[in-house]
Short mmCIF file of all heavy atoms in Angstrom, two decimals:
data_model
loop_
_atom_site.label_atom_id
_atom_site.label_comp_id
_atom_site.label_asym_id
_atom_site.label_seq_id
_atom_site.Cartn_x
_atom_site.Cartn_y
_atom_site.Cartn_z
N MET A 1 2.28 7.11 13.62
CA MET A 1 0.96 7.71 13.51
C MET A 1 0.64 8.05 12.07
O MET A 1 -0.41 7.69 11.56
CB MET A 1 0.92 8.95 14.41
CG MET A 1 -0.32 9.77 14.27
SD MET A 1 -1.72 8.94 14.97
CE MET A 1 -2.96 10.15 14.72
N ILE A 2 1.55 8.76 11.40
CA ILE A 2 1.29 9.19 10.03
C ILE A 2 1.26 7.98 9.09
O ILE A 2 0.51 7.97 8.13
CB ILE A 2 2.30 10.25 9.56
CG1 ILE A 2 1.84 10.92 8.25
CG2 ILE A 2 3.68 9.67 9.37
CD1 ILE A 2 0.73 11.87 8.43
N THR A 3 2.06 6.96 9.39
CA THR A 3 2.05 5.77 8.53
C THR A 3 0.73 5.03 8.63
O THR A 3 0.27 4.45 7.64
CB THR A 3 3.21 4.83 8.88
OG1 THR A 3 3.11 4.44 10.25
CG2 THR A 3 4.55 5.48 8.62
N GLN A 4 0.10 5.04 9.80
CA GLN A 4 -1.21 4.40 9.95
C GLN A 4 -2.27 5.15 9.16
O GLN A 4 -3.15 4.53 8.57
CB GLN A 4 -1.60 4.34 11.42
CG GLN A 4 -0.75 3.40 12.23
CD GLN A 4 -1.09 3.46 13.70
OE1 GLN A 4 -1.67 4.43 14.17
NE2 GLN A 4 -0.71 2.42 14.43
N ILE A 5 -2.17 6.46 9.13
CA ILE A 5 -3.13 7.26 8.36
C ILE A 5 -2.96 6.99 6.87
O ILE A 5 -3.94 6.79 6.15
CB ILE A 5 -2.96 8.76 8.67
CG1 ILE A 5 -3.36 9.03 10.12
CG2 ILE A 5 -3.78 9.62 7.73
CD1 ILE A 5 -3.05 10.43 10.60
N VAL A 6 -1.72 6.95 6.42
CA VAL A 6 -1.45 6.67 5.01
C VAL A 6 -1.91 5.26 4.65
O VAL A 6 -2.52 5.03 3.60
CB VAL A 6 0.04 6.88 4.68
CG1 VAL A 6 0.38 6.38 3.29
CG2 VAL A 6 0.42 8.33 4.84
N HIS A 7 -1.62 4.31 5.52
CA HIS A 7 -2.02 2.91 5.28
C HIS A 7 -3.54 2.81 5.16
O HIS A 7 -4.05 2.17 4.24
CB HIS A 7 -1.50 2.04 6.42
CG HIS A 7 -1.69 0.58 6.23
ND1 HIS A 7 -0.95 -0.15 5.33
CD2 HIS A 7 -2.56 -0.29 6.80
CE1 HIS A 7 -1.34 -1.41 5.38
NE2 HIS A 7 -2.30 -1.51 6.25
N GLY A 8 -4.26 3.43 6.08
CA GLY A 8 -5.71 3.41 6.03
C GLY A 8 -6.27 4.11 4.81
O GLY A 8 -7.25 3.65 4.21
N THR A 9 -5.65 5.22 4.43
CA THR A 9 -6.09 5.95 3.26
C THR A 9 -5.89 5.13 1.98
O THR A 9 -6.76 5.10 1.11
CB THR A 9 -5.34 7.29 3.14
OG1 THR A 9 -5.54 8.02 4.35
CG2 THR A 9 -5.82 8.10 1.97
N VAL A 10 -4.76 4.46 1.88
CA VAL A 10 -4.50 3.62 0.72
C VAL A 10 -5.50 2.48 0.65
O VAL A 10 -6.05 2.18 -0.42
CB VAL A 10 -3.05 3.08 0.74
CG1 VAL A 10 -2.86 1.97 -0.27
CG2 VAL A 10 -2.07 4.20 0.50
N LEU A 11 -5.77 1.84 1.78
CA LEU A 11 -6.72 0.72 1.78
C LEU A 11 -8.13 1.18 1.44
O LEU A 11 -8.84 0.52 0.68
CB LEU A 11 -6.68 0.01 3.13
CG LEU A 11 -5.39 -0.76 3.43
CD1 LEU A 11 -5.44 -1.33 4.83
CD2 LEU A 11 -5.16 -1.84 2.40
N LEU A 12 -8.55 2.31 2.00
CA LEU A 12 -9.89 2.81 1.71
C LEU A 12 -10.01 3.24 0.25
O LEU A 12 -11.00 2.90 -0.42
CB LEU A 12 -10.23 3.99 2.63
CG LEU A 12 -11.60 4.62 2.40
CD1 LEU A 12 -12.70 3.63 2.70
CD2 LEU A 12 -11.74 5.88 3.22
N SER A 13 -9.03 3.95 -0.25
CA SER A 13 -9.11 4.40 -1.63
C SER A 13 -9.03 3.22 -2.60
O SER A 13 -9.66 3.25 -3.66
CB SER A 13 -8.01 5.41 -1.94
OG SER A 13 -6.75 4.84 -1.75
N ALA A 14 -8.30 2.18 -2.25
CA ALA A 14 -8.25 0.98 -3.10
C ALA A 14 -9.62 0.33 -3.17
O ALA A 14 -10.06 -0.10 -4.24
CB ALA A 14 -7.22 -0.01 -2.56
N PHE A 15 -10.33 0.27 -2.04
CA PHE A 15 -11.67 -0.31 -2.05
C PHE A 15 -12.62 0.52 -2.90
O PHE A 15 -13.42 -0.03 -3.68
CB PHE A 15 -12.23 -0.46 -0.63
CG PHE A 15 -13.59 -1.11 -0.62
CD1 PHE A 15 -13.70 -2.48 -0.72
CD2 PHE A 15 -14.74 -0.35 -0.54
CE1 PHE A 15 -14.95 -3.10 -0.74
CE2 PHE A 15 -15.99 -0.94 -0.55
CZ PHE A 15 -16.08 -2.32 -0.66
N VAL A 16 -12.55 1.84 -2.78
CA VAL A 16 -13.43 2.71 -3.55
C VAL A 16 -13.17 2.56 -5.04
O VAL A 16 -14.11 2.44 -5.84
CB VAL A 16 -13.26 4.19 -3.10
CG1 VAL A 16 -13.98 5.13 -4.04
CG2 VAL A 16 -13.76 4.36 -1.68
N VAL A 17 -11.91 2.51 -5.44
CA VAL A 17 -11.57 2.35 -6.85
C VAL A 17 -12.06 0.99 -7.36
O VAL A 17 -12.64 0.89 -8.45
CB VAL A 17 -10.05 2.51 -7.07
CG1 VAL A 17 -9.63 2.04 -8.45
CG2 VAL A 17 -9.64 3.94 -6.84
N LEU A 18 -11.84 -0.06 -6.58
CA LEU A 18 -12.29 -1.39 -6.99
C LEU A 18 -13.81 -1.46 -7.08
O LEU A 18 -14.35 -2.11 -7.98
CB LEU A 18 -11.76 -2.45 -6.01
CG LEU A 18 -10.27 -2.70 -6.06
CD1 LEU A 18 -9.84 -3.60 -4.90
CD2 LEU A 18 -9.86 -3.30 -7.39
N TRP A 19 -14.51 -0.79 -6.17
CA TRP A 19 -15.98 -0.81 -6.18
C TRP A 19 -16.51 -0.13 -7.44
O TRP A 19 -17.38 -0.66 -8.12
CB TRP A 19 -16.54 -0.13 -4.93
CG TRP A 19 -18.02 -0.30 -4.82
CD1 TRP A 19 -18.68 -1.35 -4.26
CD2 TRP A 19 -19.02 0.61 -5.29
NE1 TRP A 19 -20.03 -1.15 -4.36
CE2 TRP A 19 -20.26 0.04 -4.98
CE3 TRP A 19 -18.98 1.84 -5.94
CZ2 TRP A 19 -21.46 0.67 -5.31
CZ3 TRP A 19 -20.17 2.46 -6.26
CH2 TRP A 19 -21.40 1.87 -5.94
N PHE A 20 -15.98 1.06 -7.74
CA PHE A 20 -16.45 1.77 -8.94
C PHE A 20 -16.09 1.00 -10.21
O PHE A 20 -16.87 0.96 -11.17
CB PHE A 20 -15.90 3.19 -8.98
CG PHE A 20 -16.74 4.16 -8.22
CD1 PHE A 20 -16.33 4.64 -6.99
CD2 PHE A 20 -17.96 4.59 -8.71
CE1 PHE A 20 -17.10 5.52 -6.27
CE2 PHE A 20 -18.75 5.48 -8.00
CZ PHE A 20 -18.32 5.95 -6.78
N LEU A 21 -14.91 0.40 -10.25
CA LEU A 21 -14.51 -0.39 -11.40
C LEU A 21 -15.48 -1.56 -11.59
O LEU A 21 -15.94 -1.81 -12.71
CB LEU A 21 -13.08 -0.89 -11.22
CG LEU A 21 -12.52 -1.73 -12.36
CD1 LEU A 21 -12.38 -0.88 -13.61
CD2 LEU A 21 -11.18 -2.30 -11.97
N ALA A 22 -15.79 -2.27 -10.51
CA ALA A 22 -16.73 -3.38 -10.61
C ALA A 22 -18.12 -2.90 -11.03
O ALA A 22 -18.79 -3.53 -11.86
CB ALA A 22 -16.81 -4.12 -9.27
N LEU A 23 -18.57 -1.77 -10.48
CA LEU A 23 -19.88 -1.25 -10.85
C LEU A 23 -19.94 -0.88 -12.32
O LEU A 23 -20.90 -1.22 -13.02
CB LEU A 23 -20.24 -0.04 -9.99
CG LEU A 23 -21.62 0.56 -10.28
CD1 LEU A 23 -22.72 -0.40 -9.88
CD2 LEU A 23 -21.78 1.89 -9.57
N PHE A 24 -18.92 -0.19 -12.82
CA PHE A 24 -18.93 0.21 -14.23
C PHE A 24 -18.85 -0.98 -15.17
O PHE A 24 -19.37 -0.93 -16.28
CB PHE A 24 -17.81 1.21 -14.51
CG PHE A 24 -18.05 2.55 -13.89
CD1 PHE A 24 -16.99 3.31 -13.45
CD2 PHE A 24 -19.32 3.06 -13.73
CE1 PHE A 24 -17.20 4.55 -12.88
CE2 PHE A 24 -19.54 4.29 -13.15
CZ PHE A 24 -18.48 5.04 -12.72
N VAL A 25 -18.22 -2.06 -14.74
CA VAL A 25 -18.19 -3.28 -15.54
C VAL A 25 -19.57 -3.94 -15.54
O VAL A 25 -20.02 -4.48 -16.56
CB VAL A 25 -17.11 -4.25 -15.02
CG1 VAL A 25 -17.26 -5.62 -15.63
CG2 VAL A 25 -15.73 -3.70 -15.31
N LEU A 26 -20.27 -3.88 -14.42
CA LEU A 26 -21.58 -4.53 -14.30
C LEU A 26 -22.73 -3.74 -14.90
O LEU A 26 -23.77 -4.31 -15.22
CB LEU A 26 -21.89 -4.80 -12.81
CG LEU A 26 -21.04 -5.84 -12.13
CD1 LEU A 26 -21.32 -5.84 -10.63
CD2 LEU A 26 -21.29 -7.21 -12.71
N LEU A 27 -22.59 -2.44 -15.07
CA LEU A 27 -23.70 -1.62 -15.54
C LEU A 27 -24.30 -2.08 -16.86
O LEU A 27 -25.53 -2.14 -16.98
CB LEU A 27 -23.27 -0.15 -15.62
CG LEU A 27 -23.28 0.60 -14.31
CD1 LEU A 27 -22.78 2.02 -14.52
CD2 LEU A 27 -24.64 0.61 -13.66
N PRO A 28 -23.53 -2.41 -17.88
CA PRO A 28 -24.17 -2.79 -19.14
C PRO A 28 -24.73 -4.21 -19.17
O PRO A 28 -25.43 -4.58 -20.11
CB PRO A 28 -23.06 -2.63 -20.18
CG PRO A 28 -21.81 -2.72 -19.42
CD PRO A 28 -22.09 -2.24 -18.04
N ILE A 29 -24.47 -5.00 -18.15
CA ILE A 29 -24.92 -6.39 -18.13
C ILE A 29 -26.39 -6.46 -17.71
O ILE A 29 -26.78 -5.89 -16.70
CB ILE A 29 -24.04 -7.24 -17.18
CG1 ILE A 29 -22.61 -7.25 -17.69
CG2 ILE A 29 -24.58 -8.65 -17.04
CD1 ILE A 29 -21.63 -7.91 -16.77
N GLY A 30 -27.19 -7.17 -18.47
CA GLY A 30 -28.59 -7.41 -18.12
C GLY A 30 -29.46 -6.17 -18.15
O GLY A 30 -30.36 -6.04 -17.33
N ILE A 31 -29.23 -5.29 -19.08
CA ILE A 31 -30.02 -4.06 -19.15
C ILE A 31 -31.46 -4.37 -19.52
O ILE A 31 -32.39 -3.79 -18.98
CB ILE A 31 -29.39 -3.07 -20.16
CG1 ILE A 31 -28.10 -2.52 -19.61
CG2 ILE A 31 -30.34 -1.94 -20.47
CD1 ILE A 31 -27.38 -1.60 -20.55
N GLY A 32 -31.67 -5.25 -20.46
CA GLY A 32 -33.03 -5.57 -20.89
C GLY A 32 -33.53 -4.56 -21.91
O GLY A 32 -32.77 -3.99 -22.68
N GLU A 33 -34.83 -4.32 -21.87
CA GLU A 33 -35.44 -3.42 -22.84
C GLU A 33 -35.22 -1.96 -22.46
O GLU A 33 -35.13 -1.63 -21.29
CB GLU A 33 -36.93 -3.70 -22.94
CG GLU A 33 -37.24 -5.07 -23.49
CD GLU A 33 -38.72 -5.29 -23.67
OE1 GLU A 33 -39.46 -4.30 -23.81
OE2 GLU A 33 -39.13 -6.44 -23.66
N CYS A 34 -35.14 -1.13 -23.49
CA CYS A 34 -34.98 0.31 -23.27
C CYS A 34 -36.24 1.04 -23.68
O CYS A 34 -36.95 0.64 -24.60
CB CYS A 34 -33.79 0.84 -24.08
SG CYS A 34 -32.20 0.23 -23.51
N ASP A 35 -36.52 2.13 -22.99
CA ASP A 35 -37.65 2.99 -23.32
C ASP A 35 -37.31 3.73 -24.61
O ASP A 35 -36.31 4.44 -24.67
CB ASP A 35 -37.90 3.97 -22.18
CG ASP A 35 -39.10 4.86 -22.41
OD1 ASP A 35 -39.93 4.52 -23.27
OD2 ASP A 35 -39.20 5.89 -21.72
N PRO A 36 -38.15 3.60 -25.66
CA PRO A 36 -37.81 4.24 -26.92
C PRO A 36 -37.80 5.77 -26.84
O PRO A 36 -37.08 6.43 -27.58
CB PRO A 36 -38.88 3.77 -27.90
CG PRO A 36 -39.82 2.92 -27.14
CD PRO A 36 -39.34 2.79 -25.74
N ALA A 37 -38.57 6.34 -25.94
CA ALA A 37 -38.64 7.80 -25.86
C ALA A 37 -37.38 8.39 -25.24
O ALA A 37 -36.88 9.42 -25.70
CB ALA A 37 -39.86 8.21 -25.04
N THR A 38 -36.86 7.75 -24.19
CA THR A 38 -35.70 8.31 -23.50
C THR A 38 -34.40 7.57 -23.79
O THR A 38 -33.32 8.11 -23.60
CB THR A 38 -35.93 8.29 -21.98
OG1 THR A 38 -36.06 6.93 -21.55
CG2 THR A 38 -37.16 9.09 -21.60
N GLY A 39 -34.50 6.32 -24.20
CA GLY A 39 -33.31 5.51 -24.42
C GLY A 39 -32.76 4.89 -23.16
O GLY A 39 -31.75 4.21 -23.18
N ALA A 40 -33.44 5.13 -22.03
CA ALA A 40 -32.99 4.59 -20.74
C ALA A 40 -33.54 3.19 -20.54
O ALA A 40 -34.64 2.87 -21.01
CB ALA A 40 -33.45 5.50 -19.61
N PRO A 41 -32.82 2.33 -19.85
CA PRO A 41 -33.33 0.99 -19.57
C PRO A 41 -34.58 1.06 -18.69
O PRO A 41 -34.67 1.90 -17.80
CB PRO A 41 -32.19 0.29 -18.83
CG PRO A 41 -31.02 1.19 -18.89
CD PRO A 41 -31.47 2.51 -19.34
N THR A 42 -35.52 0.16 -18.94
CA THR A 42 -36.75 0.16 -18.14
C THR A 42 -36.52 -0.40 -16.74
O THR A 42 -37.17 0.03 -15.80
CB THR A 42 -37.86 -0.64 -18.85
OG1 THR A 42 -37.38 -1.95 -19.15
CG2 THR A 42 -38.27 0.06 -20.14
N SER A 43 -35.64 -1.37 -16.61
CA SER A 43 -35.32 -1.91 -15.28
C SER A 43 -33.81 -2.19 -15.20
O SER A 43 -33.36 -3.29 -15.52
CB SER A 43 -36.12 -3.18 -15.00
OG SER A 43 -35.84 -4.16 -15.97
N PRO A 44 -33.03 -1.21 -14.77
CA PRO A 44 -31.57 -1.38 -14.77
C PRO A 44 -31.03 -2.23 -13.63
O PRO A 44 -29.86 -2.62 -13.65
CB PRO A 44 -31.05 0.05 -14.66
CG PRO A 44 -32.13 0.80 -13.99
CD PRO A 44 -33.42 0.15 -14.43
N HIS A 45 -31.85 -2.52 -12.60
CA HIS A 45 -31.41 -3.35 -11.46
C HIS A 45 -30.18 -2.77 -10.76
O HIS A 45 -29.21 -3.48 -10.49
CB HIS A 45 -31.14 -4.79 -11.88
CG HIS A 45 -32.28 -5.44 -12.60
ND1 HIS A 45 -33.45 -5.77 -11.99
CD2 HIS A 45 -32.41 -5.79 -13.90
CE1 HIS A 45 -34.27 -6.32 -12.87
NE2 HIS A 45 -33.66 -6.34 -14.05
N LEU A 46 -30.22 -1.49 -10.46
CA LEU A 46 -29.05 -0.82 -9.88
C LEU A 46 -28.70 -1.32 -8.48
O LEU A 46 -27.52 -1.44 -8.14
CB LEU A 46 -29.26 0.69 -9.86
CG LEU A 46 -29.26 1.37 -11.23
CD1 LEU A 46 -29.51 2.86 -11.07
CD2 LEU A 46 -27.96 1.13 -11.94
N ALA A 47 -29.71 -1.61 -7.67
CA ALA A 47 -29.42 -2.08 -6.31
C ALA A 47 -28.71 -3.43 -6.35
O ALA A 47 -27.74 -3.66 -5.60
CB ALA A 47 -30.71 -2.19 -5.51
N ARG A 48 -29.17 -4.32 -7.22
CA ARG A 48 -28.54 -5.63 -7.34
C ARG A 48 -27.11 -5.50 -7.86
O ARG A 48 -26.20 -6.17 -7.37
CB ARG A 48 -29.36 -6.52 -8.27
CG ARG A 48 -28.83 -7.92 -8.34
CD ARG A 48 -29.58 -8.84 -9.27
NE ARG A 48 -30.96 -8.47 -9.50
CZ ARG A 48 -31.68 -8.93 -10.50
NH1 ARG A 48 -31.16 -9.74 -11.38
NH2 ARG A 48 -32.94 -8.56 -10.65
N LYS A 49 -26.92 -4.62 -8.83
CA LYS A 49 -25.58 -4.41 -9.37
C LYS A 49 -24.65 -3.78 -8.34
O LYS A 49 -23.46 -4.10 -8.28
CB LYS A 49 -25.64 -3.57 -10.63
CG LYS A 49 -26.28 -4.33 -11.79
CD LYS A 49 -26.40 -3.48 -13.02
CE LYS A 49 -27.10 -4.27 -14.12
NZ LYS A 49 -27.24 -3.50 -15.35
N ALA A 50 -25.17 -2.89 -7.50
CA ALA A 50 -24.36 -2.29 -6.44
C ALA A 50 -23.95 -3.35 -5.42
O ALA A 50 -22.82 -3.34 -4.92
CB ALA A 50 -25.12 -1.16 -5.77
N LEU A 51 -24.86 -4.27 -5.12
CA LEU A 51 -24.54 -5.36 -4.20
C LEU A 51 -23.47 -6.27 -4.80
O LEU A 51 -22.49 -6.62 -4.12
CB LEU A 51 -25.79 -6.17 -3.86
CG LEU A 51 -25.57 -7.39 -2.99
CD1 LEU A 51 -25.10 -6.98 -1.61
CD2 LEU A 51 -26.84 -8.21 -2.90
N TYR A 52 -23.62 -6.63 -6.06
CA TYR A 52 -22.61 -7.46 -6.71
C TYR A 52 -21.27 -6.73 -6.78
O TYR A 52 -20.22 -7.36 -6.59
CB TYR A 52 -23.05 -7.85 -8.12
CG TYR A 52 -24.19 -8.84 -8.17
CD1 TYR A 52 -25.03 -8.90 -9.28
CD2 TYR A 52 -24.46 -9.71 -7.13
CE1 TYR A 52 -26.08 -9.80 -9.34
CE2 TYR A 52 -25.51 -10.61 -7.17
CZ TYR A 52 -26.31 -10.65 -8.29
OH TYR A 52 -27.35 -11.53 -8.35
N ALA A 53 -21.30 -5.43 -7.05
CA ALA A 53 -20.07 -4.66 -7.09
C ALA A 53 -19.38 -4.66 -5.72
O ALA A 53 -18.16 -4.74 -5.63
CB ALA A 53 -20.35 -3.23 -7.55
N THR A 54 -20.18 -4.57 -4.66
CA THR A 54 -19.63 -4.62 -3.31
C THR A 54 -18.97 -5.97 -3.03
O THR A 54 -17.87 -6.03 -2.47
CB THR A 54 -20.72 -4.32 -2.28
OG1 THR A 54 -21.31 -3.05 -2.57
CG2 THR A 54 -20.18 -4.33 -0.87
N LEU A 55 -19.64 -7.04 -3.43
CA LEU A 55 -19.06 -8.37 -3.21
C LEU A 55 -17.77 -8.57 -4.01
O LEU A 55 -16.77 -9.07 -3.48
CB LEU A 55 -20.09 -9.44 -3.58
CG LEU A 55 -21.35 -9.47 -2.73
CD1 LEU A 55 -22.35 -10.48 -3.29
CD2 LEU A 55 -21.02 -9.80 -1.29
N ILE A 56 -17.79 -8.16 -5.26
CA ILE A 56 -16.60 -8.30 -6.09
C ILE A 56 -15.46 -7.44 -5.55
O ILE A 56 -14.31 -7.90 -5.45
CB ILE A 56 -16.92 -7.93 -7.56
CG1 ILE A 56 -17.85 -8.98 -8.16
CG2 ILE A 56 -15.65 -7.80 -8.38
CD1 ILE A 56 -18.45 -8.57 -9.49
N ALA A 57 -15.76 -6.19 -5.20
CA ALA A 57 -14.73 -5.30 -4.67
C ALA A 57 -14.17 -5.82 -3.35
O ALA A 57 -12.97 -5.68 -3.09
CB ALA A 57 -15.29 -3.90 -4.48
N THR A 58 -15.01 -6.42 -2.53
CA THR A 58 -14.54 -6.97 -1.26
C THR A 58 -13.56 -8.11 -1.49
O THR A 58 -12.50 -8.17 -0.84
CB THR A 58 -15.73 -7.45 -0.41
OG1 THR A 58 -16.61 -6.35 -0.18
CG2 THR A 58 -15.28 -8.04 0.90
N VAL A 59 -13.88 -9.00 -2.41
CA VAL A 59 -12.98 -10.12 -2.70
C VAL A 59 -11.65 -9.60 -3.25
O VAL A 59 -10.57 -10.04 -2.82
CB VAL A 59 -13.64 -11.10 -3.70
CG1 VAL A 59 -12.64 -12.11 -4.23
CG2 VAL A 59 -14.82 -11.80 -3.04
N LEU A 60 -11.71 -8.66 -4.18
CA LEU A 60 -10.48 -8.10 -4.74
C LEU A 60 -9.69 -7.32 -3.70
O LEU A 60 -8.46 -7.38 -3.66
CB LEU A 60 -10.81 -7.20 -5.94
CG LEU A 60 -11.38 -7.90 -7.16
CD1 LEU A 60 -11.79 -6.88 -8.21
CD2 LEU A 60 -10.38 -8.89 -7.73
N TRP A 61 -10.39 -6.61 -2.82
CA TRP A 61 -9.72 -5.83 -1.78
C TRP A 61 -9.02 -6.75 -0.78
O TRP A 61 -7.92 -6.44 -0.32
CB TRP A 61 -10.72 -4.92 -1.07
CG TRP A 61 -10.09 -4.05 -0.05
CD1 TRP A 61 -9.51 -2.84 -0.27
CD2 TRP A 61 -9.96 -4.31 1.35
NE1 TRP A 61 -9.03 -2.33 0.92
CE2 TRP A 61 -9.29 -3.22 1.93
CE3 TRP A 61 -10.35 -5.37 2.17
CZ2 TRP A 61 -9.01 -3.16 3.28
CZ3 TRP A 61 -10.06 -5.31 3.50
CH2 TRP A 61 -9.40 -4.21 4.05
N VAL A 62 -9.66 -7.85 -0.42
CA VAL A 62 -9.02 -8.80 0.50
C VAL A 62 -7.74 -9.35 -0.13
O VAL A 62 -6.72 -9.47 0.54
CB VAL A 62 -10.00 -9.93 0.89
CG1 VAL A 62 -9.29 -11.09 1.55
CG2 VAL A 62 -11.09 -9.39 1.79
N GLY A 63 -7.78 -9.65 -1.43
CA GLY A 63 -6.57 -10.09 -2.12
C GLY A 63 -5.50 -9.01 -2.10
O GLY A 63 -4.32 -9.29 -1.88
N PHE A 64 -5.90 -7.75 -2.32
CA PHE A 64 -4.97 -6.63 -2.27
C PHE A 64 -4.37 -6.49 -0.88
O PHE A 64 -3.16 -6.32 -0.72
CB PHE A 64 -5.71 -5.35 -2.68
CG PHE A 64 -4.89 -4.10 -2.59
CD1 PHE A 64 -3.88 -3.85 -3.50
CD2 PHE A 64 -5.15 -3.15 -1.61
CE1 PHE A 64 -3.13 -2.69 -3.43
CE2 PHE A 64 -4.41 -1.99 -1.53
CZ PHE A 64 -3.40 -1.76 -2.44
N TYR A 65 -5.21 -6.61 0.15
CA TYR A 65 -4.73 -6.49 1.52
C TYR A 65 -3.77 -7.62 1.87
O TYR A 65 -2.76 -7.41 2.54
CB TYR A 65 -5.90 -6.45 2.49
CG TYR A 65 -5.45 -6.25 3.92
CD1 TYR A 65 -5.08 -4.99 4.36
CD2 TYR A 65 -5.36 -7.31 4.81
CE1 TYR A 65 -4.64 -4.80 5.66
CE2 TYR A 65 -4.94 -7.13 6.11
CZ TYR A 65 -4.58 -5.86 6.53
OH TYR A 65 -4.14 -5.67 7.80
N LEU A 66 -4.09 -8.82 1.42
CA LEU A 66 -3.20 -9.95 1.70
C LEU A 66 -1.84 -9.76 1.03
O LEU A 66 -0.81 -10.13 1.59
CB LEU A 66 -3.84 -11.26 1.26
CG LEU A 66 -4.98 -11.76 2.14
CD1 LEU A 66 -5.61 -13.01 1.54
CD2 LEU A 66 -4.49 -12.04 3.56
N CYS A 67 -1.84 -9.20 -0.17
CA CYS A 67 -0.56 -8.93 -0.84
C CYS A 67 0.28 -7.95 -0.03
O CYS A 67 1.50 -8.09 0.05
CB CYS A 67 -0.81 -8.37 -2.24
SG CYS A 67 -1.37 -9.60 -3.42
N ILE A 68 -0.38 -6.98 0.58
CA ILE A 68 0.35 -6.02 1.41
C ILE A 68 0.78 -6.67 2.73
O ILE A 68 1.91 -6.51 3.17
CB ILE A 68 -0.51 -4.77 1.69
CG1 ILE A 68 -0.72 -4.00 0.38
CG2 ILE A 68 0.14 -3.87 2.72
CD1 ILE A 68 -1.70 -2.86 0.50
N ALA A 69 -0.14 -7.41 3.37
CA ALA A 69 0.16 -8.02 4.67
C ALA A 69 1.26 -9.08 4.57
O ALA A 69 2.06 -9.22 5.49
CB ALA A 69 -1.11 -8.64 5.25
N LEU A 70 1.29 -9.80 3.47
CA LEU A 70 2.31 -10.84 3.29
C LEU A 70 3.59 -10.28 2.66
O LEU A 70 4.48 -11.05 2.29
CB LEU A 70 1.75 -11.98 2.42
CG LEU A 70 0.56 -12.72 3.05
CD1 LEU A 70 -0.01 -13.72 2.06
CD2 LEU A 70 0.96 -13.40 4.34
N LYS A 71 3.65 -8.97 2.51
CA LYS A 71 4.82 -8.27 1.95
C LYS A 71 5.13 -8.67 0.52
O LYS A 71 6.29 -8.64 0.09
CB LYS A 71 6.06 -8.51 2.83
CG LYS A 71 5.90 -8.10 4.27
CD LYS A 71 6.03 -6.63 4.42
CE LYS A 71 6.05 -6.33 5.92
NZ LYS A 71 5.69 -5.01 6.23
N LEU A 72 4.09 -9.07 -0.24
CA LEU A 72 4.29 -9.32 -1.65
C LEU A 72 4.38 -8.00 -2.42
O LEU A 72 5.01 -7.92 -3.46
CB LEU A 72 3.15 -10.18 -2.22
CG LEU A 72 3.00 -11.57 -1.61
CD1 LEU A 72 1.75 -12.24 -2.13
CD2 LEU A 72 4.23 -12.40 -1.88
N VAL A 73 3.70 -6.97 -1.87
CA VAL A 73 3.76 -5.63 -2.42
C VAL A 73 4.15 -4.70 -1.27
O VAL A 73 3.59 -4.77 -0.19
CB VAL A 73 2.38 -5.20 -2.97
CG1 VAL A 73 2.40 -3.76 -3.42
CG2 VAL A 73 1.96 -6.10 -4.10
N ASP A 74 5.14 -3.88 -1.50
CA ASP A 74 5.59 -2.96 -0.46
C ASP A 74 5.12 -1.56 -0.79
O ASP A 74 5.31 -1.06 -1.89
CB ASP A 74 7.12 -2.99 -0.38
CG ASP A 74 7.63 -2.23 0.83
OD1 ASP A 74 6.86 -2.07 1.79
OD2 ASP A 74 8.81 -1.83 0.80
N LEU A 75 4.45 -0.93 0.17
CA LEU A 75 3.97 0.44 -0.03
C LEU A 75 4.92 1.45 0.54
O LEU A 75 5.38 1.40 1.59
CB LEU A 75 2.58 0.61 0.61
CG LEU A 75 1.47 -0.18 -0.03
CD1 LEU A 75 0.18 0.05 0.72
CD2 LEU A 75 1.30 0.20 -1.47
#
């Protein structure tokens, strides 16, 4: 029982870390023009970047899960 909780927690936290890592890598890409008064981008495309971050994190997470499932990495 406790091992299943730990296993699920590790998998969920790995996805969250991968998602934020992918998002922070994508944030500076394609910023475009910035508002001179505030310095903020006029169209940061956050929804699109969040979607791309989700796709990238999913692919990386599946690879991470396969490494665990195939016993390439032992937790």
Side-chain angles (χ1 to χ4, degrees):
M1 173 70 178
I2 193 75
T3 58
Q4 292 175 340
I5 294 172
V6 171
H7 187 73
T9 303
V10 167
L11 291 176
L12 179 64
S13 61
F15 182 81
V16 170
V17 168
L18 290 171
W19 188 86
F20 274 105
L21 181 66
L23 181 67
F24 290 147
V25 167
L26 291 172
L27 280 177
I29 297 174
I31 290 177
E33 295 184 24
C34 292
D35 183 18
T38 63
T42 54
S43 59
H45 307 291
L46 290 179
R48 185 181 334 163
K49 290 178 183 180
L51 176 66
Y52 290 155
T54 303
L55 296 174
I56 291 168
T58 301
V59 169
L60 293 174
W61 184 85
V62 166
F64 176 72
Y65 183 78
L66 286 176
C67 286
I68 293 172
L70 297 174
K71 303 282 188 202
L72 298 174
V73 174
D74 190 23
L75 294 178

